[in-house]
Amino acid sequence: RFSGGLDEIGLYNRALSDADLKAIYQSSSAGKCKPVGPLPDTTPPIVALTAPANNAIVSESSVPVSADASDDVGITGVQFQLDGTDLGAEDIAAPYSISWNTTLTTSGSHTLTAIARDAAGNRTTSSPVTVTVNPTVTVAATDPNASESGLNPGLYQISRSGDTSEPLAVQFALSGTATNGTDYQSVGNSATIPAGAVSTEVTVADDWGRTKK
């Protein structure tokens, strides 16, 4: 049973907006409600990753990671995360973006997210984006004096950048006017860089199998 009293009833010819209600509460007129202060901000931000694209393959030392974020009051900052761990410092000003050095990340599949927060402490985590980190592989001829005759075979070095904790199988293709297996001993189309190493060598011996001592 209601045991209180009604001081005043107000009738209005339209629905009242938040601004209307605030004006009524803060009015000094007799019988009006006393000010109760601003209502707390409970609306979480909206955030979405914009780069890299989902299922992207990355291998560079400077990969842009960016997000769009908005809030009914204002965004205080956006923190990017890689596999649940902070990736760089929080970006406190739009446009929200950082540079990711993927050569410091293990090869394979990884998950990126962005966390937006507002001044009231509301936080929103974006939908995750899955990316695959591939190492950068280069091939270089390391013996400028190699020849088909004599004891000086061709020597190629296959190198990788980034994580070296696991062995890396590399596929390669041969080209040129010489015939594989005829003008020189048969060379396969793959090589493996061992775990802990940044490179491996491929030797091209002449058709007699002679190699430099």
Side-chain angles (χ1 to χ4, degrees):
R1 186 180 64 178
F2 176 69
S3 60
L6 297 176
D7 291 332
E8 183 175 334
I9 297 177
L11 298 177
Y12 302 89
N13 61 2
R14 60 181 175 82
L16 298 181
S17 66
D18 290 344
D20 294 330
L21 293 172
K22 182 177 180 180
I24 293 172
Y25 291 157
Q26 294 181 344
S27 171
S28 60
S29 302
K32 300 296 184 182
C33 298
K34 300 299 180 183
V36 295
L39 295 176
D41 177 13
T42 59
T43 303
I46 298 173
V47 61
L49 281 166
T50 56
N54 193 41
N55 297 321
I57 297 175
V58 296
S59 60
E60 299 84 2
S61 60
S62 182
V63 174
V65 180
S66 58
D68 285 338
S70 61
D71 186 68
D72 61 336
V73 176
I75 295 294
T76 303
V78 172
Q79 176 65 63
F80 295 97
Q81 290 196 331
L82 174 65
D83 299 328
T85 301
D86 288 351
L87 181 63
E90 182 184 52
D91 193 345
I92 59 175
Y96 304 105
S97 174
I98 62 167
S99 180
W100 174 26
N101 185 355
T102 64
T103 65
L104 302 178
T105 304
T106 57
S107 301
S109 179
H110 296 274
T111 300
L112 288 168
T113 52
I115 303 174
R117 67 181 180 92
D118 62 19
N122 300 306
R123 295 174 181 266
T124 299
T125 301
S126 70
S127 297
V129 165
T130 300
V131 296
T132 299
V133 174
N134 277 355
T136 299
V137 176
T138 58
V139 179
T142 55
D143 189 345
N145 300 314
S147 64
E148 182 179 358
S149 61
L151 300 178
N152 197 356
L155 195 62
Y156 293 87
Q157 186 175 68
I158 301 176
S159 304
R160 64 172 166 180
S161 63
D163 176 60
T164 61
S165 61
E166 298 291 337
L168 177 67
V170 178
Q171 302 288 323
F172 58 84
L174 301 172
S175 62
T177 58
T179 302
N180 186 14
T182 300
D183 294 310
Y184 53 88
Q185 283 199 331
S186 180
V187 177
N189 61 357
S190 66
T192 299
I193 302 177
V198 297
S199 65
T200 189
E201 292 182 336
V202 175
T203 300
V204 180
D206 67 18
D207 50 344
W208 292 96
R210 294 174 296 188
T211 57
K212 181 172 53 181
K213 299 297 185 181

